[in-house]
Amino acid sequence: MKKAEESLRLYLHIPFCVRKCLYCDFLSAPATETVQRQYVDALIRELRAVKENAENDSREGKIPLSLRRISSIYIGGGTPSILPCGEIERIMETVYSVFAVEDTAEISMELNPGTISDKQLLQSYRRSGINRLSIGLQSTVDSELRALGRIHTWQDFCETYDAVRQSGFQNINVDLMAAIPGQDLASYLTSLHRVISLKPEHISAYSLIVEENTPFYEQRDMLVLPSEEEEREMYEQTKQVLSEAGYERYEISNYARKGYECRHNTGYWRRDSYLGFGIGAASLIDNTRFHNTEDLEKYLNSSSIMEIREDEQVLTGKDQMEEFMFLGLRMTEGISKKKFQDSFAVSIDEIYATQLDELEKEGLLYVEKDRIRLTKRGLDLSNVAMAEFLF
């Protein structure tokens, strides 16, 4: 077998929640404990199949996925913390038996307030190797949480946060949402300052988007949302207040204390290879994208990986260049001209000189030695700027 030369990131999808939030369009839903355990069994089968397929990969001249070093793991959902005690440990034991997980790997899991009734769960997560937790708060104002259909209160969050800290977790993200129905600038700033006072290592701050196929979309004509001007001020205040509190903005909606940027997500934006497990989970392996079926019954009853994989797409050179630009420019560090050259054997100016020149003239982008970055205004108008790089 060939020696592994490339690291790999893993995503594990847990599609269950206590109750679907009114704004949520993620692949998630309530389920019985029996179904949850059946799902974990299927997830473990899918994980083990990677090792079983290693010999075939080797014969085809590929580096077997099970030999690649795992630099980060993200357990998302849904609400992974809804699983019965011990199920996350079962999943992670399988991961360690299949993959070569680096000692320094970042292993994240999403957690919702109101789902941790037993501190033994948190100890179980630590035994599993999880070293980063992402807690879904959204707001510290109870009326706003009710408007979103959240199952918890601000007090529930505080109790969960304290339990997480007392259990020894030293890398915590808190999700915060702006432009919530009934919210104004004052209430948003209250939430922002309350979260900062807890000193989490990372804060994800983003605006509500009313997505299709959600209750909010059906109610969109009746929702009392902040005005565009109020939402813009929330956005501006977020940047200023978090910067003054010592949080560095490293991506459009993500802020962290130095050294606590989410390594898993930066891997997505840099187009590192990743492998997704569970229903609907997406993968990018050697410039091939595919995702798993979203049909729970099909997933639970599948007998092979190939039965659940869908929409495989081998990316063309142009596809890869587009992704390199519009994903990489999401980060404040921007992109490297040298990396573009090394990746595609052509200079970035040969492909995008016109676009780079126009965006620089418009004040949306700047070039500094090897780096190309969006300006402050460019980050504010990122969708406009990134659209220029689509063929």
Side-chain angles (χ1 to χ4, degrees):
M1 285 189 177
K2 294 186 178 182
K3 181 181 178 181
E5 298 172 352
E6 182 184 344
S7 65
L8 184 66
R9 301 171 189 274
L10 303 183
Y11 174 77
L12 311 176
H13 188 65
I14 309 299
F16 307 119
C17 53
V18 176
R19 184 179 68 206
K20 192 90 167 173
C21 295
L22 300 177
Y23 59 89
C24 180
D25 70 334
F26 294 156
L27 185 57
S28 61
T32 65
E33 187 172 310
T34 298
V35 171
Q36 292 175 31
R37 293 187 189 278
Q38 290 174 343
Y39 182 83
V40 172
D41 290 340
L43 188 64
I44 287 172
R45 286 199 303 273
E46 186 187 1
L47 285 162
R48 287 176 177 163
V50 172
K51 193 166 187 175
E52 293 165 3
N53 288 344
E55 190 173 337
N56 290 335
D57 289 340
S58 185
R59 280 201 297 265
E60 293 175 10
K62 302 175 183 176
I63 299 172
L65 296 176
S66 59
L67 288 187
R68 298 193 187 187
R69 296 173 294 105
I70 304 302
S71 56
S72 70
I73 301 170
Y74 196 99
I75 307 172
T79 306
S81 54
I82 197 178
L83 289 181
C85 189
E87 294 302 279
I88 293 294
E89 281 191 81
R90 279 213 300 144
I91 293 168
M92 290 303 299
E93 284 170 2
T94 306
V95 169
Y96 291 121
S97 72
V98 172
F99 295 98
V101 181
E102 295 177 350
D103 292 340
T104 58
E106 175 191 87
I107 306 178
S108 302
M109 193 185 87
E110 293 178 353
L111 178 155
N112 271 345
T115 60
I116 302 295
S117 57
D118 188 341
K119 292 183 180 179
Q120 288 184 356
L121 270 174
L122 294 171
Q123 293 304 321
S124 172
Y125 300 154
R126 292 201 67 195
R127 287 194 301 271
S128 300
I130 293 166
N131 51 33
R132 181 179 184 273
L133 289 177
S134 180
I135 310 177
L137 170 61
Q138 314 312 345
S139 173
T140 71
V141 180
D142 286 347
S143 60
E144 293 172 7
L145 292 172
R146 288 193 295 272
L148 292 171
R150 302 290 288 175
I151 66 167
H152 64 88
T153 64
W154 165 235
Q155 182 61 36
D156 291 334
F157 171 85
C158 290
E159 291 172 2
T160 297
Y161 189 90
D162 287 345
V164 166
R165 280 295 193 211
Q166 290 168 15
S167 295
F169 287 94
Q170 298 177 352
N171 191 353
I172 301 173
N173 169 65
V174 175
D175 286 341
L176 193 62
M177 185 180 287
I180 294 170
Q183 188 181 59
D184 58 23
L185 179 60
S187 68
Y188 176 71
L189 289 176
T190 293
S191 290
L192 187 59
H193 285 291
R194 282 175 171 173
V195 170
I196 289 171
S197 71
L198 295 173
K199 300 181 179 179
E201 286 69 31
H202 189 286
I203 297 174
S204 295
Y206 46 86
S207 291
L208 168 70
I209 298 176
V210 178
E211 303 280 7
E212 291 187 27
N213 301 316
T214 65
F216 268 3
Y217 187 80
E218 299 301 320
Q219 304 164 13
R220 62 191 182 279
D221 293 333
M222 297 178 287
L223 292 177
V224 181
L225 299 171
S227 66
E228 288 186 17
E229 293 75 15
E230 287 175 311
E231 183 177 352
R232 169 60 57 178
E233 187 59 26
M234 291 175 189
Y235 171 80
E236 294 295 337
Q237 288 286 327
T238 299
K239 294 185 294 180
Q240 179 180 333
V241 171
L242 286 176
S243 176
E244 291 172 351
Y247 291 88
E248 180 180 344
R249 186 190 196 193
Y250 70 97
E251 190 270 344
I252 292 172
S253 301
N254 286 280
Y255 302 77
R257 297 194 182 279
K258 189 172 180 59
Y260 287 96
E261 299 85 359
C262 180
R263 285 189 273 149
H264 188 84
N265 286 341
T266 55
Y268 286 150
W269 300 318
R270 292 172 181 155
R271 298 190 70 252
D272 293 347
S273 291
Y274 59 90
L275 189 57
F277 295 88
I279 62 170
S283 300
L284 171 64
I285 302 294
D286 301 330
N287 289 312
T288 298
R289 289 193 179 276
F290 55 87
H291 65 80
N292 285 350
T293 179
E294 296 186 359
D295 185 322
L296 180 59
E297 287 301 315
K298 182 177 180 180
Y299 183 78
L300 293 179
N301 297 313
S302 66
S303 58
S304 74
I305 285 180
M306 299 316 297
E307 287 183 15
I308 62 172
R309 287 187 177 174
E310 297 180 350
D311 298 334
E312 183 173 302
Q313 176 193 11
V314 179
L315 300 177
T316 66
K318 287 184 176 181
D319 293 333
Q320 296 171 44
M321 289 179 188
E322 287 181 350
E323 290 188 356
F324 183 96
M325 300 301 290
F326 70 70
L327 290 174
L329 286 172
R330 291 186 61 89
M331 295 185 292
T332 56
E333 70 174 22
I335 58 175
S336 162
K337 291 190 285 185
K338 182 179 184 302
K339 186 173 181 182
F340 188 97
Q341 173 86 45
D342 292 344
S343 299
F344 306 114
V346 63
S347 77
I348 197 167
D349 291 317
E350 289 181 60
I351 305 298
Y352 288 120
T354 301
Q355 294 91 329
L356 294 173
D357 186 55
E358 287 298 319
L359 289 170
E360 195 164 15
K361 286 179 181 177
E362 294 173 16
L364 300 179
L365 173 150
Y366 69 100
V367 181
E368 183 179 26
K369 297 182 180 179
D370 179 57
R371 307 301 301 185
I372 299 173
R373 299 179 176 90
L374 294 183
T375 62
K376 175 181 177 295
R377 182 166 175 264
L379 287 167
D380 294 347
L381 300 173
S382 58
N383 289 341
V384 174
M386 292 172 189
E388 292 299 310
F389 297 105
L390 304 180
F391 289 104

